[in-house]
Amino acid sequence: LCRSDNMAARFWATEKPIWEEDRTRKTFSPDSLQEFVEFCEELKSDTLLKYLTLRLNGDVEHLRLLRDALILNTTLADLYLHSCLLTADSARELAEVLKVNSTLRHLGLNTNRIGPVGAHHLAEGLKENVGLERLDLDGNDIGPEGAIAIAAALAVNATLKIITLGSNSIGLAGNQALADALLSNQSLVRIDIDSNHIGSQGAAAWLSLLKTNVTLSASFFYTNNFTEQDDGEFRELLRDPDRKAAAAIIAASHYADTKPAREIPLASGD
C-alpha cells in the first residue's frame, strides 16, 4: 500500500462511520409482546442506552417486563412514556423501579391515566428513590388525593429537582399540601402546576412559601385564575433584594385566558 492508502486505512479503523447507529438513544414501538420481551431482555444488560422513548398501549404486562429490566439496568438515564395509556397498575410497576434504581434521572409520564391511586404508588417509590431528578406527570388526573400523596413524598425526597403537575385538577387541598411540603424540601428547584385553576387562595399558598423557600427558583402558574392583585404580589415579592431565587417566576393573572401569561423577571422593573 502507498502512504495515502495507509493513512486512509488508519482513519477508517479509528473513526466511527457516519452511518453507525447512535446506541445511546432509542425510540421503540413494539409490534408484539414477544418483541418487547426480547427488547427487555437486552435492556437488562445494556450498557450503552441512555435515552429511551417507548410507545406502548397501556398493557400492564409491558410495564412488568420493563420493571424487571430496569431493576437490573444500570445506565439508562431518561425514560419517556408519554401518552402510553398507563394506569394506576402501570404506575405501581414503575414505583417498584424507583425504589431500587438509582441511575434513572428523568421519568416522563405526561398524558396518561395514572389517577390518584397511581400517584400514590409513585409517591411511595419517590420516598425511597435516591436518583431521580425530574418527574413529569402533566395531564394524569391525579386530583387532590394524588397531589397530597406526591406532597408527602416531596417532604422526604432529597434528589428530585423538577416536577410537573399541570392539568391535574389538584384542587386547593392538593395545592396547599404541595406548598406545605416545600417548606422543608431543599432540593426541588422547579414545580409546574399550570392549568389547575387554584385561584387566589391557591396563589396565597405559593406567595407565602416563596417568602421562605429560597431553593425554589422557578414556578409556573399558567391558567390558574389568579387575579391582577395576585400578579402584583408576585411582582412585589420578586423586587425583594433578599430574594435568592435565580430564575424567573411565571405568574398567570386573570388575563391568562385572553393573553399569553407574562414572565416576571427577578428584581426588575415593569
Side-chain angles (χ1 to χ4, degrees):
L1 292 175
C2 65
R3 178 181 176 86
S4 59
D5 289 335
N6 284 331
M7 291 178 63
R10 287 197 300 271
F11 173 83
W12 287 111
T14 57
E15 293 296 315
K16 176 182 177 181
I18 59 174
W19 59 82
E20 185 174 318
E21 179 185 4
D22 180 2
R23 292 203 58 203
T24 66
R25 298 176 180 273
K26 186 178 183 68
T27 297
F28 183 48
S29 178
D31 293 326
S32 67
L33 181 59
Q34 182 57 38
E35 186 179 15
F36 197 64
V37 168
E38 294 170 1
F39 169 77
C40 288
E41 280 301 311
E42 293 178 2
L43 184 60
K44 290 178 181 179
S45 57
D46 191 298
T47 59
L48 297 176
L49 191 62
K50 305 292 185 184
Y51 311 96
L52 175 61
T53 299
L54 290 174
R55 309 295 188 198
L56 304 178
N57 61 6
D59 187 345
V60 71
E61 183 60 29
H62 285 94
L63 271 294
R64 293 191 182 104
L65 291 165
L66 183 62
R67 173 203 63 197
D68 293 343
L70 293 179
I71 286 175
L72 295 177
N73 180 281
T74 59
T75 55
L76 190 71
D78 289 33
L79 174 61
Y80 305 104
L81 293 164
H82 301 311
S83 303
C84 286
L85 305 179
L86 303 185
T87 64
D89 289 337
S90 306
R92 182 180 60 241
E93 304 305 332
L94 292 171
E96 293 304 308
V97 174
L98 293 178
K99 291 176 182 179
V100 297
N101 182 300
S102 61
T103 55
L104 197 64
R105 295 290 180 262
H106 184 178
L107 179 57
L109 300 174
N110 287 344
T111 323
N112 282 292
R113 303 172 180 176
I114 288 171
V117 174
H120 176 78
H121 289 316
L122 291 173
E124 292 304 303
L126 284 176
K127 288 177 182 178
E128 298 184 36
N129 182 266
V130 294
L132 197 70
E133 296 180 355
R134 174 166 181 159
L135 176 61
D136 297 328
L137 281 174
D138 291 340
N140 272 285
D141 197 25
I142 69 171
E145 293 181 6
I148 290 170
I150 293 294
L154 293 179
V156 298
N157 180 282
T159 59
L160 201 67
K161 292 180 171 58
I162 299 172
I163 187 167
T164 70
L165 296 166
S167 302
N168 269 301
S169 303
I170 64 174
L172 289 175
N175 180 75
Q176 188 65 57
L178 290 167
D180 289 345
L182 297 185
L183 287 170
S184 57
N185 181 294
Q186 296 298 309
S187 61
L188 203 74
V189 298
R190 172 176 160 184
I191 183 168
D192 296 4
I193 56 165
D194 51 291
S195 301
N196 276 289
H197 307 286
I198 55 176
S200 288
Q201 191 172 342
W206 294 102
L207 285 164
S208 177
L209 168 70
L210 292 169
K211 292 176 182 177
T212 58
N213 183 313
V214 295
T215 306
L216 197 64
S217 62
S219 302
F220 295 81
F221 303 103
Y222 296 105
T223 320
N224 272 310
N225 305 112
F226 291 176
T227 66
E228 192 167 7
Q229 180 178 346
D230 299 328
D231 200 48
E233 290 187 34
F234 276 109
R235 288 179 179 274
E236 189 62 32
L237 174 63
L238 292 178
R239 290 190 181 98
D240 184 348
D242 294 329
R243 177 69 188 155
K244 297 179 182 179
I249 291 177
I250 308 295
S253 71
H254 64 291
Y255 298 104
D257 292 333
T258 56
K259 298 180 181 179
R262 295 164 293 164
E263 181 169 317
I264 304 175
L266 179 64
S268 66
D270 293 335

